[in-house]
Amino acid sequence: MDQQSAPVTMHIYCRVDVIVTDPAAVTRQAVADLRAADIDWSTEEDDLEAAVEELRSDLAASVSDLVDISHLTDGIPGVEFRGGLCWTEQGPARDPFRSDETEASW
């Protein structure tokens, strides 16, 4: 692609399965990261302690909080991360999604 070309928006679809062997360690790390984050709590619905309690009571929220998809494109020249969606669910995996467009096989 020519360097003068207009930027092209690409969509990356992923499903990642993880096994949590130490839920307490996951929660501790998520809480520590939350406490260290530069969040203006006056603009949030919750306060820090309510957010901490949510992480302590919801393992999926803790895992999701630790996953940082913004680093997905680190080190790739000519690619800028602009945002994305990542969530965690407990239980059996959903049926795989299919795209109407080209699919990549890994």
Side-chain angles (χ1 to χ4, degrees):
M1 184 184 294
D2 176 64
Q3 285 187 345
Q4 301 299 327
S5 299
V8 177
T9 299
M10 305 296 294
H11 304 279
I12 299 172
Y13 299 94
C14 300
R15 185 180 89 198
V16 178
D17 296 325
V18 298
I19 304 225
V20 175
T21 59
D22 189 347
V26 170
T27 301
R28 277 192 306 274
Q29 185 62 51
V31 167
D33 287 358
L34 179 65
R35 289 186 186 281
D38 185 23
I39 297 173
D40 179 2
W41 289 101
S42 67
T43 64
E44 300 293 323
E45 285 183 29
D46 292 336
D47 61 13
L48 174 61
E49 290 313 311
V52 165
E53 188 52 41
E54 180 181 342
L55 290 176
R56 287 186 175 143
S57 65
D58 186 347
L59 179 59
S62 291
V63 171
S64 290
D65 200 54
L66 294 174
V67 174
D68 186 354
I69 63 171
S70 67
H71 293 294
L72 181 68
T73 58
D74 282 358
I76 302 175
V79 178
E80 174 189 351
F81 183 83
R82 297 294 299 264
L85 176 63
C86 183
W87 69 94
T88 304
E89 297 176 349
Q90 207 167 332
R94 294 181 185 205
D95 290 336
F97 59 85
R98 297 281 179 224
S99 170
D100 293 336
E101 299 179 24
T102 305
E103 293 183 34
S105 298
W106 304 100

